[in-house]
Amino acid sequence: MNNERFEKYYKAQNILPEDEWDQFLESLRAPLPTTFRVAGSRQTARLLNDTIKETHVPHLAGVVFEGEAVSPPTQISWYPEGLAWQFNVSKKVLRKSPEFKKFHNFLVFETEVGNISRQEAVSMLPPLFLEVEPHHRVLDMCAAPGSKTAQLLEALHAQDTVTSSSFPPGLLIANDSDHKRTHLLIHQSARLPSPALMVTNHDASIYPAIKIPSEHITFASDTKTRVVNKRQHQLLFDRILCDVPCSGDGTMRKNLGIWKTWSPMDGNGLHGLQLRILQRAMRMLRKGGRIVYSTCSINPVENEAVIAAALKSMPDFELIDMSNHLPALIFRQGITSWIPTADRSVVLDFPTFDDYIKTHPHK
């Protein structure tokens, strides 16, 4: 699996040192591990996690299949309280190894009842960086299929117990522009029924302002609308997740077709939409609130360039340093310069926009 355009473009961006490039490509070609998160209320999650750790993992230790040792599941080191796991076994092992087949059946059952969420490790990160608390008003702007939404909803319900559910004072609005995908959101959220969840179907880049009463006042039935409206103000959010549509070239390990079709134009074409969604989020954020912007792309045009343009357009906002939030997480700082291309064949001859413009003199 190779793509010359991909290698040429990303080597020019200096996204990592030259001596790590071969290792990076090999990682992209390696199978993606299976990862899951122990979900539900904190108390329930801790009990189930102890069951996995003390019962299932010891039972899977020392398994040999067709002459080869198979490693048991391991906890993801950076996830809080060790509530996320990963294992890397083939479907053949899951089907034919008695020990792993039993564990797989356990995972399927617990997933169906909402105690486990099958979720990729990187997908777990954005909600963690939001640090949602039960009183927060939260907006997930591009929420489908809903694994991050479920994670946010669990954070709102952090005070739930094994035997009772809480009524969080906060709110979560999960939005998606595709009406069919909103059904996936509802299906995902059904595993944790909550009075604090609302699902909407709007274009995130022009998400409408939501008006709420300024005071708890009951108006007479014949009160004019314009009078009632004066008692309203726009709902602003404490936390907003912008997991925006993207080219997805960070998902090559599971979407092998990207190796054949990748082009820098994929990211270029989405930059404008991504920026508009982020700017809309910034306008709906309460003072002192937080936005997490995320993609599943490694393209700086879809990441750093969007953030830079948004901050330039709204200078009252600032970046937050979250490098110490998950101490065990291995990460790399974002880059501060990049070389865009407006050509499918990856012509990178113009370090700046001005240099490009000079080749197209006005007539």
Side-chain angles (χ1 to χ4, degrees):
M1 293 180 286
N2 292 285
N3 186 305
E4 292 182 3
R5 298 189 303 271
F6 178 89
E7 293 191 37
K8 181 180 178 181
Y9 179 76
Y10 281 117
K11 281 185 175 180
Q13 310 308 325
N14 293 315
I15 60 172
L16 71 166
E18 179 68 28
D19 60 359
E20 295 182 21
W21 188 256
D22 289 341
Q23 182 183 356
F24 172 64
L25 288 179
E26 287 305 311
S27 296
L28 292 181
R29 297 183 181 110
L32 192 67
T34 297
T35 52
F36 63 90
R37 183 173 57 80
V38 185
S41 69
R42 295 276 174 85
Q43 289 188 9
T44 301
R46 289 167 184 155
L47 289 172
L48 185 60
N49 210 48
D50 288 342
T51 300
I52 295 172
K53 186 163 47 178
E54 297 169 8
T55 302
H56 291 279
V57 170
H59 186 64
L60 296 171
V63 172
V64 176
F65 182 77
E66 295 184 348
E68 293 187 6
V70 182
S71 300
T74 57
Q75 289 173 292
I76 296 176
S77 60
W78 46 260
Y79 198 91
E81 300 188 54
L83 292 173
W85 295 77
Q86 72 174 20
F87 60 102
N88 200 353
V89 300
S90 67
K91 291 182 180 179
K92 185 177 181 181
V93 173
L94 290 178
R95 288 196 307 266
K96 296 190 175 182
S97 165
E99 297 89 351
F100 273 93
K101 186 176 182 179
K102 181 179 179 180
F103 181 63
H104 181 253
N105 290 338
F106 162 78
L107 292 180
V108 169
F109 173 79
E110 295 296 340
T111 299
E112 289 175 350
V113 298
N115 291 333
I116 282 178
S117 176
R118 168 70 178 88
Q119 187 176 355
E120 290 174 18
V122 292
S123 174
M124 303 174 192
L125 287 169
L128 292 179
F129 286 127
L130 272 178
E131 294 187 295
V132 169
E133 298 179 15
H135 66 277
H136 282 153
R137 293 171 173 177
V138 187
L139 174 61
D140 189 352
M141 296 191 75
C142 309
S147 57
K148 298 182 187 69
T149 301
Q151 202 173 343
L152 295 171
L153 196 58
E154 289 165 23
L156 281 183
H157 282 267
Q159 297 174 354
D160 286 10
T161 66
V162 175
T163 57
S164 65
S165 297
S166 63
F167 287 84
L171 168 72
L172 171 60
I173 297 180
N175 176 72
D176 201 87
S177 62
D178 186 329
H179 74 278
K180 293 181 179 179
R181 286 165 61 87
T182 57
H183 291 291
L184 292 175
L185 286 174
I186 296 169
H187 174 72
Q188 279 275 18
S189 62
R191 297 174 181 175
L192 182 59
S194 172
L197 175 68
M198 177 188 297
V199 176
T200 61
N201 174 213
H202 291 287
D203 179 346
S205 67
I206 51 172
Y207 195 85
I210 299 175
K211 300 289 186 177
I212 59 175
S214 297
E215 300 174 7
H216 297 290
I217 295 177
T218 301
F219 293 94
S221 59
D222 59 346
T223 304
K224 293 181 179 180
T225 302
R226 62 181 177 82
V227 176
V228 176
N229 287 344
K230 289 181 180 180
R231 297 287 189 177
Q232 295 182 337
H233 67 275
Q234 182 179 348
L235 172 64
L236 298 177
F237 296 91
D238 302 291
R239 298 288 189 268
I240 301 179
L241 176 59
C242 295
D243 187 49
V244 299
C246 67
S247 64
D249 64 10
T251 67
M252 284 179 158
R253 296 176 73 176
K254 66 173 184 178
N255 296 321
L256 301 182
I258 295 176
W259 283 98
K260 294 176 61 177
T261 62
W262 186 90
S263 162
M265 309 309 291
D266 300 337
N268 288 356
L270 288 164
H271 172 89
L273 173 62
Q274 293 162 340
L275 176 59
R276 292 194 303 275
I277 292 174
L278 178 55
Q279 289 173 325
R280 183 64 189 126
M282 294 163 83
R283 294 186 180 98
M284 294 189 293
L285 188 70
R286 183 192 296 258
K287 186 176 181 180
R290 182 183 303 176
I291 296 172
V292 168
Y293 174 88
S294 61
T295 73
C296 49
S297 167
I298 56 178
N299 193 340
V301 169
E302 301 180 70
N303 295 298
E304 287 90 343
V306 173
I307 299 296
L311 291 176
K312 186 177 181 180
S313 68
M314 299 185 189
D316 290 341
F317 284 77
E318 62 180 5
L319 290 175
I320 301 174
D321 182 4
M322 298 293 290
S323 57
N324 295 321
H325 180 55
L326 300 173
L329 178 66
I330 300 173
F331 68 96
R332 195 179 298 273
Q333 294 285 352
I335 60 179
T336 57
S337 63
W338 49 91
I339 306 175
T341 178
D343 186 275
R344 189 172 294 275
S345 59
V346 194
V347 175
L348 298 162
D349 298 337
F350 310 108
T352 69
F353 182 71
D354 289 338
D355 293 326
Y356 174 75
I357 290 297
K358 289 175 183 177
T359 65
H360 296 74
H362 297 290
K363 296 182 179 178

